[in-house]
């Protein structure tokens, strides 16, 4: 079953810019290098230091592969001192398709 998660970060004000650089690099590497990573979006709040990640993986095993990857480990180590808080919500993903438009 498809596995998805949303991760909410609050960054330190003085670390926000660096965190954005690192998370964007991690997202690009995840999509490019991991066959099981189907989507990895980064939403940077227009106000404040909040960043949301929306990630979709083929299954939980693909997510475990992501956590074991060198690019994730580098991101994780490089951002630990840049964040105030982190919240993760994960589970089975039920996708919805856009309904066709009516004439």
């Amino acid at each position: 079953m498809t596995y998805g998660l949303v991760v909410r970060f609050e960054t330190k004000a003085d670390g926000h810019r660096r965190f954005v650089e690192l998370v964007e690099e991690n997202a690009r590497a995840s999509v490019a290098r991991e066959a099981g990573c189907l989507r990895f979006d980064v939403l940077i709040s227009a106000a404040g230091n909040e960043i949301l990640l929306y990630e979709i993986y083929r299954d939980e095993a693909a997510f475990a592969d992501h956590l074991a990857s060198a690019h994730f480990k580098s991101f994780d180590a490089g951002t630990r001192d840049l964040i105030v808080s982190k919240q993760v919500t994960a589970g089975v993903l039920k996708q919805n398709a856009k309904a066709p438009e009516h004439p």
Side-chain angles (χ1 to χ4, degrees), residues 24-63:
E24 288 178 338
E25 181 180 305
N26 182 49
R28 282 190 300 274
S30 298
V31 172
R33 299 179 191 159
E34 298 175 33
C37 181
L38 306 177
R39 183 172 199 101
F40 195 132
D41 296 327
V42 178
L43 174 67
I44 303 164
S45 175
N49 296 325
E50 182 179 39
I51 296 173
L52 296 173
L53 308 183
Y54 178 67
E55 304 173 48
I56 302 175
Y57 296 87
R58 181 182 59 243
D59 51 30
E60 282 190 72
F63 179 62

